Amino acid sequence: MSINLRRTAAVIVLFAGLALGFWVVFGSPHDWVEGMRLVKFALGLTSICMITASAWLMFPRSPDDDDEDDTSAAPMTGPLDAL
C-alpha cells in the first residue's frame, strides 16, 4: 500500500473514530439503560481502537527496523537536547 493511501485512510479512520467518540460522549447513548450500557461501552472502546488504528496506519513500521540488540545506534536528538 502506498504511503499516501495509508495516510489518507488514517485520516479517515481518525475522523470516524473521533466522531463516534463524540457521539458516545455527547449524543443519544445517555438514555440507554440496562443491557444497552454494554453497547455504549463497546462503542467507546471501538472509538479508541479506531483512533489507535489510525496511528498505526499513519506511522507504519518499516520491515527493515530491528529493535532487537540495537544498542550500537545513537539515540535521536531533538531541538531541546544539549549538544
Side-chain angles (χ1 to χ4, degrees):
M1 183 184 283
S2 72
I3 193 71
N4 290 334
L5 185 60
R6 284 183 75 103
R7 289 190 175 162
T8 302
V11 170
I12 291 170
V13 171
L14 175 67
F15 285 141
L18 288 173
L20 179 62
F22 281 129
W23 181 73
V24 167
V25 171
F26 298 114
S28 179
H30 288 288
D31 298 333
W32 295 358
V33 293
E34 298 176 6
M36 291 300 288
R37 289 184 309 160
L38 295 175
V39 175
K40 179 182 176 182
F41 180 70
L43 286 173
L45 286 178
T46 302
S47 170
I48 292 171
C49 289
M50 288 174 72
I51 294 169
T52 303
S54 73
W56 287 339
L57 283 171
M58 182 67 74
F59 306 108
R61 181 176 175 191
S62 65
D64 58 352
D65 286 345
D66 291 331
D67 290 336
E68 302 162 1
D69 299 329
D70 195 16
T71 57
S72 63
M76 293 177 51
T77 59
L80 299 178
D81 293 335
L83 297 177

